[in-house]
Amino acid sequence: FFQAEDGIRALVRSRGLGDVYKRQLTFRKPGYKTRELIIEAIKDTPVETTVTLEKEKESAESDTDDAYETQISREGVTVLLGAERTLLTPGALGLSGFPGSVVTRLSDTPFRLLGTSAGDGYLVEGADLTSLSRARRIAGPGAPGSFDNAYVGLSAAYVSTEGPIYVFYQGNDSEGLGPLPGGESALRGFYGRIGLLISHDRGFSWKKSGPVLQSVKPKSWTAYQGQQDRGVAEPGVVREKSGRYLYLYYTDHSGVDNRGVQICLARADLEEGSPAPGRFKKYFRGEFTQPGLGGRDTPVINVHHLDDADALFPSPIYSKTLDRYIMIFAVNFWKENYPGKKIEKSGIYAAYSPDGITWSAPVLLVKGRTAFIKGKAFSSMASFIPDPGSTTRGWLVYASSPRWGLGDDGTLPQHLAGRRILFR
């Protein structure tokens, strides 16, 4: 039995040898440095100790408007943005090209992120976002012939009040497909489905539960000659503000109706049970009527009218303070990727919604290339990670590289970057 006071959280691991026990304790408290301690105890003999935690230096959580360098006012919301910071250097913690998907926060105490490195799903921990110190692989591609045989892109998590943690991921089937254009063979083509991971022990172990979403079009179908990205991809989840539904946003890469890649929506009714395979209904023509596995859909965020642009990597959150949903996503004006073209409109965007279905016009936050082009600057896969206790102040985190590539020929894999951000 262990008792901690004054808001300190302790994680206890025990190992017994006869009547002598070693207990490893990890102490964490917001605003203080994490400390580890090993105590030897004899069975049935109380041990009392006092632990002093050292305060962290003044953090960016208490920053003022002076900490921001950019102000953007659109759609009734003002956004303040700070300068870009490197949160993890390339190769840190043994992670290659991290993040390889949108990162999502799993918990604050301990601070845990979910993301992807080299096609595998990882749980990354630390004292906070600026002090990440450990990474653990929790999922990888399936066997040949499986729906996720090439890539597991973790990007969305729902921590239920009942206990289980549900993580939604992009599972890629790349068998028989060629490289994606522009990536110069670094990235394989894919037919994507949205898969589900479940943990019943708060994130220590995980089990795959199969796909929950699939495109209306099969793997063999293409919208144009040479198309190598197909299916559905890039999930993002948020619990609807009434608490009844879980909204699952995703991108459709099938190219149905010549609409390009846009952001669509499905939902599961949590009053009817867990958000398991077979429980989601896609949003189509104003109603949630189509089955998640194979049904038709209508985009809820569509930027095809903006010079045939694509909307990618949706990451939603509900802000109680603003009483609005905030969607962070990337927009690729693919015509800007041609040789000699300048990046003017591609970048990381935000949109706002009162109900999670009807969204405002997109607002550009960070201009930059969002497509993988070898040797070119890259900024994409963004999400908003609020500070503890806030839904308006926190970090805009994203994948960044000044010269994207696999590290050969002077290129650099993407690394985790961030900017302080405030919504008003």
Side-chain angles (χ1 to χ4, degrees):
F1 174 76
F2 180 83
Q3 182 175 358
E5 298 178 351
D6 195 27
I8 296 174
R9 175 183 173 88
L11 306 180
V12 184
R13 297 176 177 86
S14 301
R15 182 177 64 187
L17 181 63
D19 288 340
V20 180
Y21 291 80
K22 280 190 176 182
R23 297 188 181 268
Q24 177 181 328
L25 296 90
T26 302
F27 296 89
R28 295 190 178 98
K29 181 179 180 180
Y32 291 78
K33 293 183 178 180
T34 297
R35 182 173 174 183
E36 294 187 350
L37 188 67
I38 296 178
I39 297 176
E40 287 194 0
I42 300 176
K43 185 178 180 181
D44 298 329
T45 302
V47 174
E48 182 176 331
T49 186
T50 299
V51 177
T52 302
L53 300 184
E54 182 183 349
K55 274 193 172 184
E56 293 275 13
K57 63 182 179 180
E58 192 73 12
S59 72
E61 292 179 11
S62 58
D63 51 20
T64 66
D65 288 359
D66 295 336
Y68 304 101
E69 61 178 19
T70 305
Q71 178 172 312
I72 305 154
S73 296
R74 287 273 306 276
E75 303 295 331
V77 177
T78 295
V79 181
L80 301 179
L81 272 173
E84 180 175 305
R85 291 178 54 183
T86 296
L87 301 176
L88 275 182
T89 56
L93 309 183
L95 300 172
S96 174
F98 183 86
S101 64
V102 171
V103 297
T104 183
R105 180 182 59 186
L106 191 59
S107 63
D108 283 320
T109 308
F111 187 84
R112 298 188 292 175
L113 288 178
L114 291 170
T116 304
S117 169
D120 293 334
Y122 279 82
L123 189 152
V124 184
E125 295 182 294
D128 54 37
L129 182 61
T130 63
S131 304
L132 300 172
S133 56
R134 299 174 296 278
R136 176 167 62 94
R137 180 183 179 274
I138 63 172
S146 61
F147 81 94
D148 57 358
N149 58 70
Y151 170 86
V152 169
L154 311 184
S155 61
Y158 165 56
V159 182
S160 68
T161 55
E162 296 79 14
I165 301 174
Y166 301 89
V167 172
F168 300 89
Y169 68 93
Q170 176 181 337
N172 284 358
D173 173 7
S174 293
E175 294 175 351
L177 297 177
L180 291 175
E184 299 186 22
S185 301
L187 301 174
R188 301 295 297 175
F190 63 86
Y191 180 75
R193 299 176 179 88
I194 306 303
L196 175 63
L197 277 176
I198 301 179
S199 174
H200 292 280
D201 53 14
R202 313 308 291 175
F204 288 98
S205 62
W206 299 85
K207 183 179 180 181
K208 291 182 179 179
S209 296
V212 298
L213 291 184
Q214 182 171 323
S215 173
V216 69
K217 297 296 185 181
K219 179 181 176 180
S220 59
W221 190 87
T222 58
Y224 55 88
Q225 186 176 3
Q227 181 183 3
Q228 298 298 322
D229 59 319
R230 311 170 190 176
V232 295
E234 302 153 13
V237 297
V238 63
R239 190 165 185 172
E240 183 259 341
K241 62 182 180 180
S242 76
R244 177 172 178 177
Y245 297 103
L246 187 68
Y247 282 173
L248 173 54
Y249 298 89
Y250 62 97
T251 53
D252 176 72
H253 286 250
S254 62
V256 173
D257 301 326
N258 194 34
R259 68 189 185 192
V261 181
Q262 309 302 333
I263 297 172
C264 300
L265 172 62
R267 77 179 185 189
D269 190 339
L270 299 177
E271 291 185 358
E272 296 180 357
S274 64
R279 297 291 317 287
F280 283 91
K281 296 289 186 182
K282 290 180 179 178
Y283 179 78
F284 178 63
R285 294 181 178 175
E287 298 183 51
F288 291 92
T289 55
Q290 294 289 301
L293 295 170
R296 300 183 66 185
D297 47 29
T298 299
V300 292
I301 294 181
N302 191 338
V303 297
H304 192 247
H305 65 288
L306 301 176
D307 199 19
D308 297 335
D310 293 330
L312 304 159
F313 304 109
S315 180
I317 187 173
Y318 173 68
S319 171
K320 187 175 181 180
T321 302
L322 300 181
D323 190 25
R324 299 188 191 193
Y325 296 86
I326 301 172
M327 180 74 77
I328 305 296
F329 62 105
V331 177
N332 174 32
F333 286 83
W334 53 267
K335 295 177 184 178
E336 295 182 344
N337 298 324
Y338 290 146
K341 296 288 186 179
K342 291 184 178 181
I343 300 298
E344 299 289 349
K345 296 179 287 186
S346 295
I348 297 168
Y349 281 72
Y352 312 104
S353 171
D355 57 8
I357 300 173
T358 304
W359 291 86
S360 72
V363 178
L364 178 62
L365 302 180
V366 178
K367 182 166 65 175
R369 190 184 308 276
T370 59
F372 294 103
I373 306 293
K374 187 175 181 180
K376 301 295 185 180
F378 172 78
S379 298
S380 191
M381 301 176 178
S383 58
F384 170 42
I385 299 181
D387 293 339
S390 176
T391 61
T392 55
R393 184 190 298 269
W395 288 90
L396 179 72
V397 297
Y398 51 95
S400 179
S401 173
R403 301 178 304 278
W404 182 84
L406 300 183
D408 57 338
D409 300 329
T411 61
L412 289 171
Q414 67 262 31
H415 65 274
L416 186 65
R419 297 171 184 256
R420 292 295 294 169
I421 188 169
L422 172 63
F423 294 89
R424 287 177 178 164

Short mmCIF file of all heavy atoms in Angstrom, two decimals, residues 273-318:
data_model
loop_
_atom_site.label_atom_id
_atom_site.label_comp_id
_atom_site.label_asym_id
_atom_site.label_seq_id
_atom_site.Cartn_x
_atom_site.Cartn_y
_atom_site.Cartn_z
N GLY A 273 -23.11 1.08 -27.02
CA GLY A 273 -21.97 0.21 -26.76
C GLY A 273 -20.66 0.83 -27.18
O GLY A 273 -20.57 2.02 -27.49
N SER A 274 -19.61 0.02 -27.21
CA SER A 274 -18.26 0.49 -27.51
C SER A 274 -18.13 0.81 -29.01
O SER A 274 -18.87 0.28 -29.83
CB SER A 274 -17.25 -0.58 -27.13
OG SER A 274 -17.42 -1.74 -27.91
N PRO A 275 -17.16 1.66 -29.37
CA PRO A 275 -16.96 2.03 -30.79
C PRO A 275 -16.17 0.95 -31.53
O PRO A 275 -15.06 1.18 -32.02
CB PRO A 275 -16.18 3.34 -30.69
CG PRO A 275 -15.40 3.21 -29.42
CD PRO A 275 -16.27 2.43 -28.48
N ALA A 276 -16.73 -0.21 -31.62
CA ALA A 276 -16.06 -1.38 -32.20
C ALA A 276 -16.37 -1.50 -33.69
O ALA A 276 -17.23 -0.79 -34.22
CB ALA A 276 -16.52 -2.63 -31.46
N PRO A 277 -15.68 -2.40 -34.40
CA PRO A 277 -16.00 -2.65 -35.82
C PRO A 277 -17.48 -2.97 -36.01
O PRO A 277 -18.09 -3.71 -35.22
CB PRO A 277 -15.13 -3.86 -36.16
CG PRO A 277 -13.94 -3.72 -35.26
CD PRO A 277 -14.49 -3.17 -33.97
N GLY A 278 -18.08 -2.37 -37.04
CA GLY A 278 -19.50 -2.55 -37.31
C GLY A 278 -20.41 -1.55 -36.64
O GLY A 278 -21.61 -1.55 -36.89
N ARG A 279 -19.84 -0.67 -35.79
CA ARG A 279 -20.66 0.26 -35.02
C ARG A 279 -20.72 1.66 -35.64
O ARG A 279 -21.54 2.48 -35.22
CB ARG A 279 -20.10 0.37 -33.60
CG ARG A 279 -20.14 -0.93 -32.80
CD ARG A 279 -21.56 -1.33 -32.44
NE ARG A 279 -22.31 -0.18 -32.00
CZ ARG A 279 -22.13 0.42 -30.81
NH1 ARG A 279 -21.25 -0.07 -29.97
NH2 ARG A 279 -22.84 1.47 -30.48
N PHE A 280 -19.87 1.95 -36.61
CA PHE A 280 -19.82 3.30 -37.16
C PHE A 280 -20.72 3.45 -38.38
O PHE A 280 -20.85 2.54 -39.20
CB PHE A 280 -18.38 3.66 -37.55
CG PHE A 280 -17.52 4.02 -36.38
CD1 PHE A 280 -16.78 3.05 -35.72
CD2 PHE A 280 -17.45 5.33 -35.92
CE1 PHE A 280 -15.98 3.38 -34.63
CE2 PHE A 280 -16.66 5.67 -34.84
CZ PHE A 280 -15.92 4.69 -34.19
N LYS A 281 -21.33 4.63 -38.48
CA LYS A 281 -22.13 5.02 -39.63
C LYS A 281 -21.50 6.26 -40.27
O LYS A 281 -21.21 7.24 -39.60
CB LYS A 281 -23.57 5.34 -39.22
CG LYS A 281 -24.33 4.16 -38.64
CD LYS A 281 -24.66 3.13 -39.72
CE LYS A 281 -25.56 2.03 -39.18
NZ LYS A 281 -25.86 1.00 -40.20
N LYS A 282 -21.33 6.21 -41.60
CA LYS A 282 -20.75 7.35 -42.32
C LYS A 282 -21.80 8.43 -42.57
O LYS A 282 -22.99 8.14 -42.75
CB LYS A 282 -20.18 6.88 -43.65
CG LYS A 282 -18.93 6.02 -43.56
CD LYS A 282 -18.45 5.64 -44.95
CE LYS A 282 -17.20 4.78 -44.92
NZ LYS A 282 -16.77 4.37 -46.28
N TYR A 283 -21.31 9.66 -42.59
CA TYR A 283 -22.16 10.82 -42.90
C TYR A 283 -22.27 10.93 -44.42
O TYR A 283 -21.26 11.04 -45.13
CB TYR A 283 -21.52 12.08 -42.32
CG TYR A 283 -22.28 13.35 -42.58
CD1 TYR A 283 -23.41 13.67 -41.83
CD2 TYR A 283 -21.86 14.26 -43.54
CE1 TYR A 283 -24.11 14.86 -42.04
CE2 TYR A 283 -22.54 15.43 -43.77
CZ TYR A 283 -23.66 15.73 -43.02
OH TYR A 283 -24.33 16.90 -43.24
N PHE A 284 -23.52 10.90 -44.92
CA PHE A 284 -23.76 10.94 -46.36
C PHE A 284 -25.01 11.75 -46.64
O PHE A 284 -26.11 11.43 -46.15
CB PHE A 284 -23.92 9.52 -46.91
CG PHE A 284 -24.21 9.45 -48.39
CD1 PHE A 284 -23.29 9.93 -49.31
CD2 PHE A 284 -25.40 8.91 -48.85
CE1 PHE A 284 -23.56 9.86 -50.68
CE2 PHE A 284 -25.68 8.84 -50.21
CZ PHE A 284 -24.75 9.32 -51.12
N ARG A 285 -24.84 12.83 -47.37
CA ARG A 285 -25.95 13.71 -47.78
C ARG A 285 -26.81 14.13 -46.59
O ARG A 285 -28.04 14.06 -46.61
CB ARG A 285 -26.80 13.02 -48.85
CG ARG A 285 -26.04 12.81 -50.16
CD ARG A 285 -26.91 12.15 -51.22
NE ARG A 285 -26.17 12.01 -52.49
CZ ARG A 285 -26.64 11.39 -53.56
NH1 ARG A 285 -27.86 10.85 -53.52
NH2 ARG A 285 -25.92 11.31 -54.66
N GLY A 286 -26.14 14.58 -45.53
CA GLY A 286 -26.85 15.17 -44.40
C GLY A 286 -27.27 14.22 -43.31
O GLY A 286 -27.82 14.67 -42.29
N GLU A 287 -27.00 12.93 -43.44
CA GLU A 287 -27.42 11.98 -42.43
C GLU A 287 -26.36 10.90 -42.23
O GLU A 287 -25.57 10.59 -43.12
CB GLU A 287 -28.74 11.31 -42.83
CG GLU A 287 -29.92 12.26 -42.96
CD GLU A 287 -31.20 11.51 -43.28
OE1 GLU A 287 -31.51 10.54 -42.57
OE2 GLU A 287 -31.85 11.88 -44.27
N PHE A 288 -26.35 10.31 -41.03
CA PHE A 288 -25.45 9.20 -40.72
C PHE A 288 -26.18 7.90 -41.02
O PHE A 288 -26.77 7.27 -40.13
CB PHE A 288 -25.02 9.27 -39.26
CG PHE A 288 -24.12 10.44 -38.94
CD1 PHE A 288 -24.67 11.64 -38.50
CD2 PHE A 288 -22.75 10.33 -39.09
CE1 PHE A 288 -23.84 12.72 -38.21
CE2 PHE A 288 -21.92 11.41 -38.80
CZ PHE A 288 -22.47 12.60 -38.37
N THR A 289 -26.12 7.49 -42.28
CA THR A 289 -26.92 6.33 -42.71
C THR A 289 -26.10 5.22 -43.33
O THR A 289 -26.57 4.09 -43.42
CB THR A 289 -27.96 6.79 -43.75
OG1 THR A 289 -27.30 7.46 -44.83
CG2 THR A 289 -28.98 7.74 -43.11
N GLN A 290 -24.88 5.52 -43.77
CA GLN A 290 -24.10 4.55 -44.53
C GLN A 290 -23.20 3.72 -43.60
O GLN A 290 -22.64 4.25 -42.63
CB GLN A 290 -23.25 5.25 -45.58
CG GLN A 290 -24.05 5.92 -46.68
CD GLN A 290 -24.69 4.91 -47.60
OE1 GLN A 290 -24.01 4.09 -48.23
NE2 GLN A 290 -26.02 4.95 -47.71
N PRO A 291 -23.02 2.44 -43.89
CA PRO A 291 -22.16 1.61 -43.05
C PRO A 291 -20.70 2.06 -43.11
O PRO A 291 -20.22 2.51 -44.15
CB PRO A 291 -22.33 0.21 -43.64
CG PRO A 291 -22.79 0.44 -45.04
CD PRO A 291 -23.62 1.68 -45.00
N GLY A 292 -20.02 1.94 -41.98
CA GLY A 292 -18.62 2.34 -41.94
C GLY A 292 -17.74 1.49 -42.83
O GLY A 292 -16.77 1.98 -43.40
N LEU A 293 -18.08 0.22 -42.98
CA LEU A 293 -17.30 -0.69 -43.79
C LEU A 293 -17.89 -0.78 -45.19
O LEU A 293 -18.74 -1.63 -45.48
CB LEU A 293 -17.24 -2.07 -43.13
CG LEU A 293 -16.51 -2.09 -41.78
CD1 LEU A 293 -16.72 -3.42 -41.07
CD2 LEU A 293 -15.02 -1.81 -41.97
N GLY A 294 -17.50 0.19 -46.04
CA GLY A 294 -17.90 0.15 -47.44
C GLY A 294 -18.96 1.13 -47.87
O GLY A 294 -19.25 1.23 -49.06
N GLY A 295 -19.53 1.90 -46.96
CA GLY A 295 -20.59 2.82 -47.34
C GLY A 295 -20.08 4.07 -48.05
O GLY A 295 -18.88 4.35 -48.09
N ARG A 296 -21.00 4.85 -48.62
CA ARG A 296 -20.67 6.10 -49.28
C ARG A 296 -20.54 7.22 -48.25
O ARG A 296 -20.99 7.08 -47.10
CB ARG A 296 -21.73 6.44 -50.32
CG ARG A 296 -21.88 5.41 -51.42
CD ARG A 296 -22.89 5.84 -52.46
NE ARG A 296 -22.43 7.03 -53.18
CZ ARG A 296 -23.15 7.70 -54.08
NH1 ARG A 296 -24.40 7.30 -54.33
NH2 ARG A 296 -22.66 8.74 -54.71
N ASP A 297 -19.93 8.34 -48.66
CA ASP A 297 -19.74 9.45 -47.73
C ASP A 297 -19.78 10.79 -48.45
O ASP A 297 -19.61 10.87 -49.67
CB ASP A 297 -18.42 9.31 -46.97
CG ASP A 297 -17.23 8.96 -47.87
OD1 ASP A 297 -17.24 9.35 -49.05
OD2 ASP A 297 -16.31 8.28 -47.39
N THR A 298 -20.05 11.83 -47.69
CA THR A 298 -20.03 13.21 -48.16
C THR A 298 -19.02 13.98 -47.34
O THR A 298 -19.11 13.97 -46.10
CB THR A 298 -21.41 13.87 -48.00
OG1 THR A 298 -22.38 13.15 -48.77
CG2 THR A 298 -21.37 15.31 -48.46
N PRO A 299 -18.03 14.63 -47.95
CA PRO A 299 -17.03 15.37 -47.17
C PRO A 299 -17.68 16.46 -46.31
O PRO A 299 -18.61 17.13 -46.75
CB PRO A 299 -16.12 15.97 -48.23
CG PRO A 299 -16.25 15.06 -49.41
CD PRO A 299 -17.70 14.61 -49.39
N VAL A 300 -17.16 16.63 -45.10
CA VAL A 300 -17.60 17.73 -44.24
C VAL A 300 -16.63 18.90 -44.32
O VAL A 300 -17.00 20.05 -44.03
CB VAL A 300 -17.77 17.27 -42.77
CG1 VAL A 300 -18.93 16.29 -42.66
CG2 VAL A 300 -16.49 16.65 -42.22
N ILE A 301 -15.38 18.64 -44.67
CA ILE A 301 -14.40 19.69 -44.99
C ILE A 301 -13.89 19.39 -46.38
O ILE A 301 -13.23 18.37 -46.61
CB ILE A 301 -13.26 19.75 -43.97
CG1 ILE A 301 -13.79 20.17 -42.60
CG2 ILE A 301 -12.17 20.72 -44.43
CD1 ILE A 301 -12.72 20.29 -41.52
N ASN A 302 -14.20 20.28 -47.31
CA ASN A 302 -13.90 20.05 -48.72
C ASN A 302 -13.20 21.28 -49.27
O ASN A 302 -13.76 22.37 -49.29
CB ASN A 302 -15.20 19.80 -49.49
CG ASN A 302 -14.95 19.29 -50.90
OD1 ASN A 302 -13.89 19.48 -51.47
ND2 ASN A 302 -15.96 18.64 -51.46
N VAL A 303 -11.94 21.11 -49.71
CA VAL A 303 -11.20 22.23 -50.27
C VAL A 303 -10.92 22.02 -51.76
O VAL A 303 -10.05 22.69 -52.33
CB VAL A 303 -9.86 22.45 -49.51
CG1 VAL A 303 -10.12 22.82 -48.06
CG2 VAL A 303 -8.96 21.21 -49.59
N HIS A 304 -11.68 21.13 -52.38
CA HIS A 304 -11.47 20.86 -53.79
C HIS A 304 -11.72 22.10 -54.65
O HIS A 304 -11.11 22.27 -55.72
CB HIS A 304 -12.36 19.71 -54.25
CG HIS A 304 -12.01 19.17 -55.60
ND1 HIS A 304 -12.83 19.28 -56.70
CD2 HIS A 304 -10.90 18.53 -56.04
CE1 HIS A 304 -12.24 18.72 -57.75
NE2 HIS A 304 -11.08 18.25 -57.38
N HIS A 305 -12.62 22.97 -54.18
CA HIS A 305 -12.92 24.19 -54.94
C HIS A 305 -11.75 25.18 -54.91
O HIS A 305 -11.73 26.13 -55.69
CB HIS A 305 -14.18 24.86 -54.37
CG HIS A 305 -14.01 25.37 -52.96
ND1 HIS A 305 -13.94 24.53 -51.88
CD2 HIS A 305 -13.90 26.63 -52.48
CE1 HIS A 305 -13.79 25.25 -50.78
NE2 HIS A 305 -13.77 26.52 -51.12
N LEU A 306 -10.78 24.97 -54.01
CA LEU A 306 -9.62 25.85 -53.92
C LEU A 306 -8.51 25.32 -54.84
O LEU A 306 -7.52 24.75 -54.40
CB LEU A 306 -9.12 25.94 -52.47
CG LEU A 306 -10.12 26.45 -51.44
CD1 LEU A 306 -9.53 26.40 -50.05
CD2 LEU A 306 -10.57 27.87 -51.79
N ASP A 307 -8.70 25.46 -56.12
CA ASP A 307 -7.71 25.06 -57.12
C ASP A 307 -7.38 23.57 -57.00
O ASP A 307 -6.21 23.18 -57.06
CB ASP A 307 -6.45 25.90 -57.00
CG ASP A 307 -5.59 25.85 -58.27
OD1 ASP A 307 -6.14 25.48 -59.33
OD2 ASP A 307 -4.41 26.19 -58.19
N ASP A 308 -8.41 22.74 -56.82
CA ASP A 308 -8.26 21.29 -56.75
C ASP A 308 -7.41 20.83 -55.57
O ASP A 308 -6.74 19.79 -55.63
CB ASP A 308 -7.66 20.72 -58.03
CG ASP A 308 -8.54 20.94 -59.25
OD1 ASP A 308 -9.76 21.09 -59.05
OD2 ASP A 308 -8.03 20.96 -60.37
N ALA A 309 -7.40 21.58 -54.48
CA ALA A 309 -6.55 21.25 -53.33
C ALA A 309 -7.08 20.01 -52.61
O ALA A 309 -8.25 19.64 -52.71
CB ALA A 309 -6.48 22.43 -52.37
N ASP A 310 -6.18 19.38 -51.82
CA ASP A 310 -6.52 18.22 -51.00
C ASP A 310 -6.46 18.61 -49.53
O ASP A 310 -5.57 19.35 -49.10
CB ASP A 310 -5.53 17.07 -51.23
CG ASP A 310 -5.63 16.49 -52.64
OD1 ASP A 310 -6.73 16.54 -53.21
OD2 ASP A 310 -4.60 16.00 -53.15
N ALA A 311 -7.40 18.08 -48.74
CA ALA A 311 -7.41 18.26 -47.29
C ALA A 311 -6.93 16.96 -46.64
O ALA A 311 -7.42 15.88 -46.97
CB ALA A 311 -8.81 18.61 -46.79
N LEU A 312 -5.99 17.07 -45.70
CA LEU A 312 -5.31 15.89 -45.17
C LEU A 312 -5.16 15.99 -43.64
O LEU A 312 -5.21 17.07 -43.07
CB LEU A 312 -3.91 15.76 -45.78
CG LEU A 312 -3.83 15.72 -47.31
CD1 LEU A 312 -2.43 16.10 -47.76
CD2 LEU A 312 -4.19 14.33 -47.81
N PHE A 313 -4.96 14.84 -43.00
CA PHE A 313 -4.57 14.73 -41.59
C PHE A 313 -5.49 15.51 -40.64
O PHE A 313 -5.04 16.40 -39.92
CB PHE A 313 -3.13 15.19 -41.40
CG PHE A 313 -2.14 14.44 -42.27
CD1 PHE A 313 -1.53 15.07 -43.34
CD2 PHE A 313 -1.85 13.11 -42.01
CE1 PHE A 313 -0.63 14.39 -44.15
CE2 PHE A 313 -0.95 12.42 -42.81
CZ PHE A 313 -0.33 13.05 -43.88
N PRO A 314 -6.78 15.20 -40.58
CA PRO A 314 -7.68 15.91 -39.66
C PRO A 314 -7.38 15.57 -38.20
O PRO A 314 -7.20 14.39 -37.84
CB PRO A 314 -9.06 15.40 -40.08
CG PRO A 314 -8.80 14.04 -40.66
CD PRO A 314 -7.47 14.15 -41.34
N SER A 315 -7.33 16.59 -37.35
CA SER A 315 -7.11 16.40 -35.92
C SER A 315 -8.07 17.32 -35.16
O SER A 315 -7.82 18.52 -35.05
CB SER A 315 -5.65 16.72 -35.56
OG SER A 315 -5.44 16.53 -34.17
N PRO A 316 -9.19 16.78 -34.64
CA PRO A 316 -10.22 17.62 -34.02
C PRO A 316 -10.10 17.68 -32.49
O PRO A 316 -9.52 16.78 -31.85
CB PRO A 316 -11.50 16.89 -34.40
CG PRO A 316 -11.09 15.44 -34.37
CD PRO A 316 -9.65 15.40 -34.83
N ILE A 317 -10.65 18.73 -31.92
CA ILE A 317 -10.79 18.85 -30.47
C ILE A 317 -12.03 19.71 -30.22
O ILE A 317 -12.37 20.58 -31.04
CB ILE A 317 -9.54 19.47 -29.83
CG1 ILE A 317 -9.64 19.41 -28.29
CG2 ILE A 317 -9.30 20.88 -30.30
CD1 ILE A 317 -8.36 19.85 -27.59
N TYR A 318 -12.70 19.47 -29.09
CA TYR A 318 -13.80 20.35 -28.70
C TYR A 318 -13.31 21.28 -27.61
O TYR A 318 -12.77 20.83 -26.58
CB TYR A 318 -15.00 19.55 -28.19
CG TYR A 318 -16.09 20.45 -27.61
CD1 TYR A 318 -16.82 21.30 -28.44
CD2 TYR A 318 -16.35 20.47 -26.24
CE1 TYR A 318 -17.78 22.14 -27.91
CE2 TYR A 318 -17.32 21.29 -25.72
CZ TYR A 318 -18.03 22.14 -26.55
OH TYR A 318 -18.99 22.98 -26.03
#
